[in-house]
Amino acid sequence: MATGLLAGALLTEACILVPYWQKMPAKTFLRLHHKMAPSLFRYFAPLTVIGTLLPIITFIFVYSTSKASWPAWLLSAICAVCLLSFYLLFFRQANNRFSTTTDPEIAAKTLAAWAKVHMIRTLIAIVGFSAAIWGGMPI
């Protein structure tokens, strides 16, 4: 269930919030980001942690008990690790850039890159959730 919640939250962000942010003037986006960032972090951090840990734990359990669904859970676990890697390798720095810059050009360029990488992350989350369903025990 957590994997599906995370995928759904990322998809909502990609389809609703990101287009809204991109339509804003960069200065307005930066002001909004300063206000919204703590709330978004409090929302996404637990989902990301749970949505990452549960597929990995489930894969270990399923594999150690020799269940036939282990390949699906392996795929779900790989997707979960990828999602965490996206945060560590890109989103943490990009979000910090939003918090520290006042330059509208930098904000606009960072948001454009953020939106592209976020769509990739969202698709990986959907694949991970689909694999969990395929594994027979959606988490």
Side-chain angles (χ1 to χ4, degrees):
M1 186 109 85
T3 305
L5 288 173
L6 177 58
L10 292 173
L11 185 61
T12 300
E13 188 174 37
C15 294
I16 296 172
L17 290 178
V18 173
Y20 176 69
W21 294 336
Q22 290 178 314
K23 289 178 185 174
M24 292 179 173
K27 286 184 179 184
T28 304
F29 168 74
L30 287 173
R31 278 195 309 274
L32 181 65
H33 184 271
H34 290 296
K35 292 178 185 175
M36 287 183 55
S39 297
L40 287 170
F41 181 80
R42 283 191 305 273
Y43 177 75
F44 277 101
L47 274 178
T48 302
V49 170
I50 293 168
T52 300
L53 289 178
L54 286 180
I56 295 168
I57 291 167
T58 304
F59 164 69
I60 292 168
F61 172 76
V62 168
Y63 186 78
S64 68
T65 59
S66 301
K67 298 203 185 252
S69 62
W70 73 264
W73 286 107
L74 175 61
L75 177 58
S76 187
I78 289 169
C79 288
V81 171
C82 287
L83 294 179
L84 183 60
S85 298
F86 273 94
Y87 174 75
L88 295 173
L89 298 174
F90 177 78
F91 289 102
R92 182 172 40 173
Q93 291 84 357
N95 292 340
N96 285 337
R97 196 169 306 124
F98 290 138
S99 297
T100 59
T101 191
T102 56
D103 185 335
E105 261 186 60
I106 291 173
K109 287 180 183 177
T110 303
L111 182 57
W114 195 100
K116 289 176 186 173
V117 176
H118 180 73
M119 188 53 72
I120 296 167
R121 171 172 69 165
T122 300
L123 293 173
I124 291 171
I126 292 168
V127 170
F129 177 55
S130 300
I133 291 172
W134 175 41
M137 300 185 320
I139 57 172

